[in-house]
């Protein structure tokens, strides 16, 4: 028997045709080739748990069917009526659609399940990443960012190609963006409760297979991604992909059979009694401790790295190292570090999931960056008025209580795609998610936010002024902090979701950026902050050794001052003195030959 994990999986051109290979624990697997509505089934040969066959030609639309026992109580889901997508598919001919038929045994799904399309995978050795920790990460949703942009042609809106438009590039350069972090652009499926409500998943965190690009967001496939990455690189902007390896869109036991479940159901972690483990909150969690899943994750990262991206952000990243508990020394980390391609990429963890011991901030490898929710909440609390100066100072200084080493691994943010927008967290004390169809039960119920005396929109100029002052103070703190700042697209000009802090189901004007009503003064302020940060090397590893922490009167800090309303940070920069003042009542100011007021 050959080494199964050494066999190339997916569709690979070989002399005389194409070799198709897929991993499956089924009793029999068929390759299905399509020409229009016609389906041609070909028996495959088994070698261990890898099934393969060589067929003539290199231009195919294809899928699989797997035969075997169907017993969901024993985690057996083999149903030859289900057309199954190749877990190694790179492109699909159509989007996924949700349907009860996907979960009904014996229902043929060939007419509603996408077929994989053969393409030539990127083969070039990728250039080194442009992005370096400390640069500005700009998190964006491709559809939300481009759907209402007036300069982008209508036919291009909602696509990755739109990010290469000169108007977009100009905006990114104005802000000093070092890398765009694209929310998932792989093919996803709506959660099954959304279509009856007339809703769609706007975020994409429900993929079905890990490498296949979304036919709607990336209609030009891998070539479109490669071209857009190249254009952004020419402008000095890197690309980071947000990837989901914690679950797949087949969901819980009531979900559909689309790929892994119908081919290799043990790809999902399960308890000894066969119950699916739910560390991702979706009813199913990928078992990254299994060699085949482990290998698939690494193959996916290599594929996208060869397309030229700078790195990856991992959604619910502890799942990568579960088996079943989180292991900070899991083999996958060492393999990434030793890989000649992946070791050069930027790795960013969202360091929590909902499983046992799921909060792992600070426990990822020393060369990884991590989203820092302590930064988010404590910066918000300080400007809300119920936080400590000492906590804010710790976050400004790089969160040394969390991250050890000469450079901070903290990804600092005050708002992200998940939760209130930056403007909304100063205008709403409560979530307003009724449009999501879950009776306002979804989303965070206890966000650190404050409405300045009135919930929602206001015509009161005093309240409006107080809100913008709070927004500017938080932005200034973000750009003046040690670590890597992250800004979510639209927060630089006051985007609002009208209090919806879980916009995943709003693929509409709730989440589409309103470019026509931007707060251009706020946008200019953010651009100035970003320029100020680039001109002032706040990420020097030794700057804390030279810093003097003083109270707002200019005197040395006392224990009482660390509980108070603010502080001033004095830094020598060349022959000048840089003074950063963080004053709860007045906002933030930086003095170095000029004043930059929040």
């Amino acid at each position: 028997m050959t080494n199964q994990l050494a066999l190339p999986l997916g569709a690979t051109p070989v002399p005389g045709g194409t070799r198709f290979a897929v991993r499956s624990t089924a009793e029999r697997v068929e390759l299905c080739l399509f020409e229009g509505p016609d389906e041609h089934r070909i028996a495959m040969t088994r070698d261990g748990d890898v099934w393969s066959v060589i067929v003539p030609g290199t231009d195919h639309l294809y899928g699989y069917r797997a035969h075997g026992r169907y017993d969901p109580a024993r985690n057996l889901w083999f149903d030859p009526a289900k057309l199954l997508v190749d877990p190694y598919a790179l492109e699909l001919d159509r989007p996924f659609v949700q349907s009860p038929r996907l979960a009904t045994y014996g229902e043929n799904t060939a007419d509603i399940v996408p077929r994989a399309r053969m393409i030539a995978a990127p083969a070039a050795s990728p250039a080194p990443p442009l992005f370096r920790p400390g640069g500005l990460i700009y998190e964006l949703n491709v559809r939300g960012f481009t759907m209402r942009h007036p300069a982008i042609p209508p036919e291009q809106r909602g696509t990755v190609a739109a990010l290469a438009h000169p108007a977009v590039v100009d905006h990114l350069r104005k802000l000093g963006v070092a890398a765009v972090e694209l929310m998932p652009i792989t093919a996803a499926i709506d959660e099954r409760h959304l279509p009856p409500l007339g809703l769609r998943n706007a975020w994409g965190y429900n993929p079905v297979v890990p490498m296949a690009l979304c036919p709607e967001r990336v209609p030009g496939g891998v070539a479109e991604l490669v071209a857009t990455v190249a254009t952004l690189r020419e402008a000095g902007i890197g690309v980071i992909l947000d990837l989901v390896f914690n679950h797949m869109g087949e969901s819980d036991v009531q979900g559909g059979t689309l790929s892994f479940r119908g081919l290799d159901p043990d790809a999902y972690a399960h308890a000894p009694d066969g119950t699916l483990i739910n560390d991702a909150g979706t009813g199913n969690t990928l078992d990254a401790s299994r060699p085949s899943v482990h290998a698939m994750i690494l193959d996916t990262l290599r594929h996208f790295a060869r397309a030229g991206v700078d790195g990856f952000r991992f959604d619910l990243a502890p799942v990568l190292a579960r088996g079943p508990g989180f292991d900070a020394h899991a083999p996958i980390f060492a393999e990434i570090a030793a890989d000649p391609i992946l070791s050069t990429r930027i790795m960013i963890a969202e360091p929590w999931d909902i499983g046992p011991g799921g909060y792992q901030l600070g426990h990822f490898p020393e060369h990884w960056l991590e989203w820092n929710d302590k930064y988010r909440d404590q910066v918000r609390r300080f400007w809300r008025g119920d936080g400590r100066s000492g906590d804010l100072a710790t976050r400004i200084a790089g969160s040394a209580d969390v991250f050890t080493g000469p450079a901070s691994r903290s990804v600092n943010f005050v708002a992200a795609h998940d939760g209130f927008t930056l403007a909304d967290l100063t205008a709403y004390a409560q979530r307003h998610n009724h449009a999501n169809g879950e009776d306002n039960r979804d989303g965070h119920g206890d966000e650190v936010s404050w409405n300045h005396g009135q919930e929602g929109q206001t015509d009161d100029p005093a309240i409006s002024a107080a809100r913008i002052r709070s927004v500017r103070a938080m932005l200034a703190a973000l750009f003046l902090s040690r670590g890597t700042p992250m800004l979510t697209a639209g927060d630089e000009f006051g985007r609002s979701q009208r209090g919806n802090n879980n916009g995943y189901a709003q693929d509409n004007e709730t989440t589409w950026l309103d470019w026509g009503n931007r707060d251009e003064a706020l946008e200019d302020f953010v651009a100035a902050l970003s320029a100020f940060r680039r001109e002032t090397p706040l990420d020097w590893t030794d700057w804390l050794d030279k810093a003097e922490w003083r109270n707002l009167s200019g005197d040395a800090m006392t224990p009482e001052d660390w509980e108070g309303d603010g502080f001033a940070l004095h830094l020598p920069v060349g022959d000048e003195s840089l003074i950063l003042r963080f004053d709860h009542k007045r906002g933030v100011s930086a003095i170095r030959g000029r004043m930059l007021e929040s």
Side-chain angles (χ1 to χ4, degrees), residues 277-348:
I277 290 174
N278 190 26
D279 292 337
T282 59
N284 61 342
T285 301
L286 280 173
D287 187 354
S289 68
R290 294 191 74 230
S292 59
V293 176
H294 180 114
M296 176 201 67
I297 292 171
L298 296 177
D299 288 341
T300 301
L301 298 181
R302 294 186 192 102
H303 166 66
F304 285 121
R306 292 188 184 103
V309 305
D310 288 43
F312 309 96
R313 181 263 187 188
F314 298 94
D315 183 62
L316 304 183
V319 171
L320 292 174
R322 281 191 175 277
F326 176 82
D327 180 3
H329 303 289
I332 193 168
F333 295 138
E335 292 193 39
I336 289 173
D339 189 276
I341 295 177
L342 300 183
S343 61
T344 67
R345 304 297 105 176
I346 302 298
M347 303 288 166
I348 304 173

Side-chain angles (χ1 to χ4, degrees), residues 408-486:
S408 179
R409 299 191 295 108
S410 178
V411 174
N412 300 325
F413 65 103
V414 289
H417 70 271
D418 187 7
F420 281 130
T421 71
L422 182 58
D424 283 358
L425 71 89
T426 69
Y428 295 89
Q430 305 294 330
R431 63 191 173 189
H432 295 267
N433 298 351
H434 299 87
N436 293 353
E438 298 182 48
D439 295 325
N440 205 35
R441 295 189 304 267
D442 61 304
H444 299 297
D446 57 352
E447 278 205 71
V448 180
S449 65
W450 65 114
N451 63 19
H452 292 79
Q454 180 177 323
E455 189 77 354
Q457 293 178 290
T458 183
D459 295 325
D460 187 319
I463 293 177
S464 295
R467 288 174 176 177
I468 194 64
R469 186 165 56 247
S470 294
V471 166
R472 287 184 172 225
M474 288 184 286
L475 285 166
L478 176 66
F479 280 92
L480 297 175
S481 295
R482 185 165 177 251
T484 296
M486 185 185 79

Side-chain angles (χ1 to χ4, degrees), residues 389-556:
S389 290
D391 291 335
L392 178 64
T394 298
R395 302 305 151 219
I396 295 290
S399 296
D401 60 330
V402 176
F403 304 106
T404 59
S408 179
R409 299 191 295 108
S410 178
V411 174
N412 300 325
F413 65 103
V414 289
H417 70 271
D418 187 7
F420 281 130
T421 71
L422 182 58
D424 283 358
L425 71 89
T426 69
Y428 295 89
Q430 305 294 330
R431 63 191 173 189
H432 295 267
N433 298 351
H434 299 87
N436 293 353
E438 298 182 48
D439 295 325
N440 205 35
R441 295 189 304 267
D442 61 304
H444 299 297
D446 57 352
E447 278 205 71
V448 180
S449 65
W450 65 114
N451 63 19
H452 292 79
Q454 180 177 323
E455 189 77 354
Q457 293 178 290
T458 183
D459 295 325
D460 187 319
I463 293 177
S464 295
R467 288 174 176 177
I468 194 64
R469 186 165 56 247
S470 294
V471 166
R472 287 184 172 225
M474 288 184 286
L475 285 166
L478 176 66
F479 280 92
L480 297 175
S481 295
R482 185 165 177 251
T484 296
M486 185 185 79
L487 182 71
T488 297
D491 279 347
E492 72 272 20
F493 53 69
R495 74 180 177 110
S496 174
Q497 293 179 176
R498 301 295 186 262
N500 189 323
N501 75 346
N502 191 30
Y504 83 101
Q506 302 299 319
D507 185 16
N508 51 47
E509 293 188 358
T510 298
T511 57
W512 298 350
L513 299 190
D514 185 359
W515 291 91
N517 289 293
R518 310 198 316 271
D519 182 341
E520 296 189 32
L522 181 60
E523 182 181 307
D524 291 342
F525 175 71
V526 172
L529 281 172
S530 183
F532 187 82
R533 178 183 176 86
R534 296 194 303 276
E535 294 165 5
T536 308
L538 294 175
D539 276 327
W540 283 345
T541 57
D542 62 348
W543 74 263
L544 283 176
D545 297 332
K546 303 175 182 179
E548 293 183 20
W549 300 86
R550 302 181 186 178
N551 63 26
L552 295 174
S553 298
D555 300 322

